Amino acid sequence: MKQFSMKQYGPWLAIVFMAAAILPACKKSSDLGPQANAQVMLVNASPGDSTPRNFYFNDTKLNTQSLAYPANSAYLPLAPGTYSIKVTSANSINPIAATSAGLGSGKNYSVFAYDTLLGGKIKVFAVEDNLAAPAANKTKVRFLDLSPVAVAVDIYANDSLVFANRSYADNVSDNSKANFISVNAGTYVV
């Protein structure tokens, strides 16, 4: 039986162990597979003038057609990442509103332009949309108060309080107010 000698094999074993430790660290992030796009819906919730709006993400226009009030786009794919978002009038590249938002892989978002130029400047915010299917016999709704009238409102559906004491753009400072809630499926008087 032949004996194992560290003198004879030691340098080779050291090289094998170093290669085993180094090679996994060299793996490129692109080797992890493609990341799913984020999906973004653009919403022009800005009444007051008749000018359609464009939405730019890192200075690239995302919508193919300008959005008139109260139009929205379909969900549009966008690579995950952090974006500066600008809203412009249809025939201009000068922003009338701006924000930034991080968009996660495989997640859905709505970006709202709201307020009026009469109020000083249009504003914009992004909110994540939970598009998971509701439970059986349920539907999901949300309420965003984007009317620049400074009056708190309660929202009733068939005489049942659904959203209490909602005020202008309260979801911007409290993201939970942009969440969907589940209600029984059916027809409602709101």
Side-chain angles (χ1 to χ4, degrees):
M1 178 189 258
K2 206 171 190 180
Q3 278 195 329
F4 176 76
S5 164
M6 278 303 281
K7 279 185 181 177
Q8 184 180 10
Y9 296 108
W12 291 107
L13 287 174
I15 291 170
V16 168
F17 285 125
M18 286 190 327
I22 293 172
L23 287 177
C26 293
K27 191 170 191 172
K28 296 178 186 174
S29 61
S30 62
D31 293 342
L32 301 175
Q35 285 190 312
N37 281 330
Q39 299 292 322
V40 180
M41 181 192 319
L42 310 171
V43 182
N44 182 357
S46 173
D49 68 4
S50 58
T51 306
R53 307 285 179 225
N54 289 323
F55 292 75
Y56 288 82
F57 287 70
N58 290 349
D59 296 322
T60 300
K61 187 168 78 165
L62 187 59
N63 51 299
T64 55
Q65 293 183 347
S66 298
L67 298 173
Y69 172 80
N72 62 274
S73 70
Y75 279 96
L76 305 168
L78 198 58
T82 300
Y83 290 88
S84 68
I85 302 170
K86 296 178 199 166
V87 177
T88 70
S89 294
N91 297 320
S92 174
I93 59 168
N94 298 320
I96 54 176
T99 193
S100 63
L103 306 179
S105 174
K107 297 192 176 189
N108 303 291
Y109 300 87
S110 290
V111 175
F112 291 86
Y114 69 104
D115 210 334
T116 67
L117 289 174
L118 299 174
K121 194 166 191 178
I122 290 174
K123 300 171 183 88
V124 61
F125 69 89
V127 61
E128 187 175 343
D129 298 339
N130 177 348
L131 300 182
N137 299 317
K138 296 282 187 178
T139 191
K140 294 182 351 182
V141 297
R142 74 173 162 199
F143 173 75
L144 303 174
D145 184 350
L146 300 180
S147 170
V149 177
V151 175
V153 296
D154 293 331
I155 304 298
Y156 288 85
N158 289 351
D159 297 325
S160 294
L161 183 63
V162 182
F163 298 100
N165 196 31
R166 295 300 302 274
S167 59
Y168 173 63
D170 57 1
N171 63 285
V172 175
S173 61
D174 182 355
N175 285 337
S176 70
K177 293 189 175 182
N179 292 339
F180 288 93
I181 63 167
S182 288
V183 296
N184 291 328
T187 302
Y188 290 89
V189 174
V190 177

